[in-house]
Amino acid sequence: MISKLIKKSFKDVNNSPAITLFLVLFLILLSLFIPYVFILQPKIFGLLVLVCIFLLFAVFFGGWLQLFDEAGKEEKKPLTGVFFEGAGKNIIPSIIAIIIYSIAIVLVSYIAIAISLKAFGDPSFLMKDISAISGDSNAYLDYINNLSSDKMFILYGWQITFTLLYSVFNFFFMFLPPAFIKTEAKNVFLKPLNAYLECFKFIFKNFGISIGLYAIFCLAFMLMGILKALTSFNPILSVVNLFIHIYFVSYVVMIIFNCYEQKNSNSDRSDSVGEDNNGDTTGEQT
């Protein structure tokens, strides 16, 4: 099933160029805005730019995810119109969903810090030592290579703790994008809350395939990280690698959407079959 799901998702993304186009445009706008957060004076102007970036992300989140829902359909609407339609109707739920997600990731980070401090110790020595090192990358590498085993134990412990907790966190939120788009609510303020609930319910109902897909995604992300490290020294290869990452992210999101759609369609079909059987039995008894 997973192989068919991946093939269909590749086909859907390749047949819907607007998905990658809007992602590229968003990244370009983001790269134009972000530097002003740090250079504008007084700081209030930088804060205003940061708010604009947040709203831009909320608009993009609502519109871009709507494209994936449309890309999986046989009869597609013009995807440019779909993007702006999704951005408009999802703007308030997107803002609320992003705020909830941000609060959740902060809580997970706090838990990771608390566990790491108790289990492995305080890594504050790292910041003090690095601040004393010049910007020379060789000096930094020499410092890391010459760390004592006790300090390396602390650093590796923190890294493993954060990696494990963030991995579990991302697993449980993996199906949030399709749940957010497909979940309906009478009140736009309740839609993101319902989406989080549906996301959790879907994970537990389809735990096996969810674990399988997540393992594939993690392995693929590791390979993409290696590819990025190998191409970072060459500007041309770095640009090529950027486009590979853009398509890769698009494929991953499309796979998540298609999996969510398939599993929910199968569930609906099973329910409807049961209802039909009950109806037929009743007719026969009458």
Side-chain angles (χ1 to χ4, degrees):
M1 176 188 173
I2 290 181
S3 61
K4 291 182 179 179
L5 193 65
I6 292 174
K7 288 179 182 178
K8 182 183 184 307
S9 301
F10 272 59
K11 182 180 178 182
D12 289 339
V13 171
N14 292 337
N15 290 339
S16 306
I19 289 175
T20 50
L21 175 62
F22 275 104
L23 180 55
V24 170
L25 292 175
F26 171 70
L27 293 175
I28 291 173
L29 287 174
L30 208 59
S31 66
L32 294 176
F33 277 109
I34 285 180
Y36 290 101
V37 175
F38 305 101
I39 64 175
L40 282 179
Q41 296 294 336
K43 291 296 184 182
I44 186 65
F45 292 129
L47 183 61
L48 289 175
V49 174
L50 192 61
V51 172
C52 290
I53 291 174
F54 173 79
L55 294 176
L56 175 66
F57 186 76
V59 169
F60 172 76
F61 182 79
W64 193 57
L65 294 184
Q66 197 73 48
L67 293 179
F68 288 95
D69 185 44
E70 189 66 29
K73 299 177 181 178
E74 293 184 3
E75 296 183 5
K76 299 183 182 68
K77 301 177 184 177
L79 292 183
T80 302
V82 170
F83 176 87
F84 289 107
E85 177 187 352
K89 74 178 183 180
N90 293 321
I91 178 64
I92 294 177
S94 294
I95 291 173
I96 298 172
I98 294 170
I99 291 174
I100 294 173
Y101 187 90
S102 301
I103 293 172
I105 198 72
V106 168
L107 289 175
V108 171
S109 301
Y110 177 80
I111 293 171
I113 291 172
I115 293 174
S116 299
L117 279 172
K118 186 167 289 187
F120 305 107
D122 188 355
S124 58
F125 65 87
L126 183 65
M127 297 304 298
K128 294 178 182 177
D129 293 344
I130 289 180
S131 62
I133 299 175
S134 63
D136 185 8
S137 59
N138 291 328
Y140 173 76
L141 290 175
D142 289 339
Y143 168 75
I144 295 296
N145 292 330
N146 293 321
L147 279 175
S148 65
S149 58
D150 291 340
K151 290 184 177 180
M152 290 298 293
F153 173 77
I154 294 174
L155 295 182
Y156 281 128
W158 277 69
Q159 185 177 5
I160 292 172
T161 302
F162 272 83
T163 300
L164 287 175
L165 287 182
Y166 283 150
S167 296
V168 173
F169 175 82
N170 289 328
F171 170 73
F172 283 106
F173 283 93
M174 181 169 63
F175 289 98
L176 180 61
F180 175 81
I181 293 298
K182 294 179 179 295
T183 300
E184 298 294 335
K186 294 180 180 179
N187 190 322
V188 292
F189 296 98
L190 293 178
K191 179 175 179 175
L193 298 177
N194 291 345
Y196 279 104
L197 179 61
E198 290 298 321
C199 173
F200 290 133
K201 287 167 59 178
F202 184 88
I203 283 285
F204 287 110
K205 285 182 179 179
N206 304 277
F207 201 78
I209 191 170
S210 299
I211 285 286
L213 282 178
Y214 193 68
I216 293 172
F217 294 157
C218 288
L219 178 61
F221 273 114
M222 289 174 60
L223 294 176
M224 295 297 291
I226 294 172
L227 179 63
K228 182 178 180 180
L230 293 175
T231 58
S232 59
F233 65 91
N234 188 303
I236 297 176
L237 291 178
S238 295
V239 173
V240 173
N241 182 55
L242 174 62
F243 280 98
I244 292 174
H245 272 75
I246 288 170
Y247 271 94
F248 173 70
V249 171
S250 301
Y251 290 140
V252 167
V253 178
M254 192 74 249
I255 291 170
I256 291 171
F257 263 85
N258 282 336
C259 179
Y260 189 89
E261 177 67 26
Q262 281 188 19
K263 286 297 182 179
N264 281 335
S265 296
N266 290 339
S267 176
D268 294 341
R269 189 156 50 247
S270 299
D271 293 341
S272 63
V273 170
E275 290 172 2
D276 290 344
N277 288 338
N278 292 336
D280 292 344
T281 305
T282 304
E284 289 173 0
Q285 292 173 349
T286 305

